[in-house]
């Protein structure tokens, strides 16, 4: 079973990973976006980690809801609302339970991904974070390491796609050949989940 400490570890591991990869995320964002994806997420997840150090929510759902709220309040652009919605909706789906199973996490995360799809209007194949999150959630029932691999493959698979949503979609065919930064940062989130689980 997964408790609040596990979810705090997940968010802290994500913050560390985003911090390490911020320049890479921004480099991916430069040709097809605003060149701020890395710095925006770095600011947001640094704030999340700092908040979780000060406050200690005692349920998994409360950890994710708090993290989502911090992202929405500190991250500019589209990534704050999208990641904030993902975590808040996942947290809400987990409810007030003190511990949750891996299956419950997978179901809650699916609800979070669906909320992101509704908010952003994106579907698989649109060259967004959804291309990472959908296969990752589908694989989560098999294990965290399998989900991480699915997420990484999903992010890589955005390279040959033409963007149909977000800033990159304005470029049309010129968006082809670039790995999507949102899909890449979503893979970091799933990799951090596997790290928190020790996989």
């Amino acid at each position: 079973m997964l408790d609040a400490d596990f979810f705090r570890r997940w968010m802290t591991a994500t913050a560390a990973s985003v911090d390490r990869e911020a320049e890479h995320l921004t480099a991916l964002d430069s040709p097809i976006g605003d060149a701020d994806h890395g710095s925006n997420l770095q600011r947001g997840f640094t704030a999340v980690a700092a908040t979780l150090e000060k406050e200690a929510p005692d349920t998994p759902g409360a950890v994710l809801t708090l993290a989502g709220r911090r992202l929405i309040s500190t991250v500019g652009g589209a990534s704050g609302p999208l990641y904030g919605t993902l975590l808040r909706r996942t947290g809400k789906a987990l409810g007030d339970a003190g511990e949750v199973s891996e299956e419950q996490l997978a179901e809650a995360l699916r609800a979070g991904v669906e909320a992101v799809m509704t908010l952003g209007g994106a579907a698989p194949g649109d060259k967004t974070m959804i291309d990472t999150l959908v296969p990752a959630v589908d694989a989560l029932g098999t294990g965290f390491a399998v989900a991480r691999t699915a997420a990484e493959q999903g992010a890589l698979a955005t390279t040959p796609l033409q963007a149909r949503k977000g800033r990159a979609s304005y470029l049309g065919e010129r968006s082809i050949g670039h790995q999507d930064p949102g899909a890449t940062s979503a893979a970091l989130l799933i990799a951090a989940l596997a790290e928190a689980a020790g996989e």
Side-chain angles (χ1 to χ4, degrees):
M1 295 294 280
L2 312 170
D3 60 8
D5 278 343
F6 172 85
F7 284 83
R8 277 197 291 273
R9 285 202 310 275
W10 178 21
M11 291 297 103
T12 305
T14 302
S17 182
V18 167
D19 200 47
R20 282 194 307 271
E21 297 293 327
E23 286 184 16
H24 176 58
L25 292 173
T26 292
L28 289 176
D29 198 30
S30 294
I32 59 172
D34 292 327
D36 59 0
H37 188 63
S39 54
N40 278 346
L41 276 190
Q42 187 177 32
R43 183 171 63 250
F45 276 103
T46 298
V48 167
T51 300
L52 289 174
E53 250 179 56
K54 289 200 292 279
E55 300 178 38
D58 55 4
T59 66
V63 171
L64 294 188
T65 303
L66 178 63
R69 279 207 310 269
R70 289 299 288 149
L71 288 174
I72 289 170
S73 65
T74 53
V75 181
S79 52
L82 291 170
Y83 274 104
T85 296
L86 175 68
L87 296 179
R88 280 175 65 183
R89 186 68 189 84
T90 302
K92 187 178 171 190
L94 290 174
D96 298 325
E99 291 185 323
V100 298
S101 66
E102 290 181 28
E103 292 74 23
Q104 286 169 314
L105 172 56
E107 282 174 30
L109 204 49
R110 190 178 299 283
V113 172
E114 284 169 1
V116 171
M117 289 167 74
T118 301
L119 177 66
D126 285 343
K127 198 183 181 94
T128 71
M129 64 197 293
I130 297 303
D131 291 306
T132 292
L133 292 172
V134 168
V137 170
D138 286 345
L140 200 50
T142 328
F144 293 113
V146 181
R148 176 179 57 210
T149 301
E152 288 165 354
Q153 289 171 346
L156 288 172
T158 62
T159 304
L161 299 177
Q162 179 171 329
R164 291 200 288 258
K165 290 290 173 188
R167 184 67 194 269
S169 65
Y170 303 154
L171 295 174
E173 290 184 0
R174 283 180 298 144
S175 64
I176 295 170
H178 298 283
Q179 185 170 322
D180 183 67
T184 307
S185 60
L188 296 180
L189 180 75
I190 302 300
L193 180 61
E195 184 184 328
E199 291 187 20

